[in-house]
Amino acid sequence: MIFFIFLGALILATIIINLGMILAARRYVYSDISSLPQSTAVLVLGSQTHGTRLSPVLQDRVDAGISLMGTGKTGKLLLSGDSGKRAGGSRFYDEVNAMHLYVLENAPGINEEDIFLDHAGLSTWESMYRAKYIFEVNDLIIVTQQFHISRAVTMARSLGINAIGYGIYQGHFRGASLRSWQFREYFARIKGFYSIVFKPPPQIMGDAIPIHGDGRASWL
């Protein structure tokens, strides 16, 4: 009997955490690019790559970031992901430079000095933490899919960043594919709640590269 009470309480807690995160972020999440307010930078969160080819998830994110730069609503583009720096990671795996190459090839109108690379954004939390303390970002637009945006925005705002989210269209993900991402996100929000409460530092920090400077300093 005690076991089932404990199990029920545990399940209820996970539901509360998920709903709480979604509700906390809701007022800061936009789905219409034209309604987004001005912000210093747009942060594009990494996802899987295949060599230099972006996965559909990541290509949608980077395309949205490029579109935002074209609207004039933001002046700096911050690309954050895993460049093979994760413990045990492959030095041949590089999300960030794949994103960077895609931007250079598809958006030549974006000034090089306005493109910043975060090579150690090994998780959503670490991307937010490094945006705050390495790139010294105080306000930003976060770009990711709708199923991910609530967690990202809540994490950023917990660090004192005036963050809003652009939850991009996720029509490419249907049926089992979408349910898989949503299932993963349910448990990721629980892990994210731990980060919000205890604020663990990232695996990798480094010297400051202020977002108001020259982004090429972050390309190395």
Side-chain angles (χ1 to χ4, degrees), residues 74-175:
T74 184
K76 303 292 183 178
L77 178 64
L78 175 56
L79 307 173
S80 181
D82 184 358
S83 294
K85 297 181 181 295
R86 188 184 306 276
S90 170
R91 64 187 179 90
F92 299 107
Y93 183 73
D94 192 340
E95 296 171 0
V96 178
N97 281 305
M99 287 192 283
H100 186 204
L101 181 62
Y102 183 90
V103 172
L104 294 178
E105 290 178 346
N106 292 278
I110 298 178
N111 295 326
E112 291 187 349
E113 60 267 29
D114 293 331
I115 304 172
F116 288 74
L117 308 183
D118 177 10
H119 299 278
L122 307 184
S123 67
T124 302
W125 173 253
E126 287 170 291
S127 292
M128 300 308 160
Y129 199 109
R130 288 175 54 81
K132 174 71 174 179
Y133 294 105
I134 297 297
F135 296 94
E136 300 180 355
V137 176
N138 292 316
D139 61 294
L140 56 77
I141 302 169
I142 302 167
V143 172
T144 188
Q145 278 75 20
Q146 293 167 2
F147 51 73
H148 182 203
I149 195 66
S150 296
R151 176 164 59 97
V153 168
T154 306
M155 285 179 164
R157 297 191 72 85
S158 78
L159 289 165
I161 301 172
N162 182 19
I164 57 175
Y166 178 35
I168 60 177
Y169 176 66
Q170 56 191 35
H172 292 162
F173 311 97
R174 301 178 185 277

Side-chain angles (χ1 to χ4, degrees), residues 39-52:
S39 194
T40 297
V42 54
L43 169 61
V44 178
L45 295 170
S47 190
Q48 189 175 20
T49 58
H50 307 280
T52 58

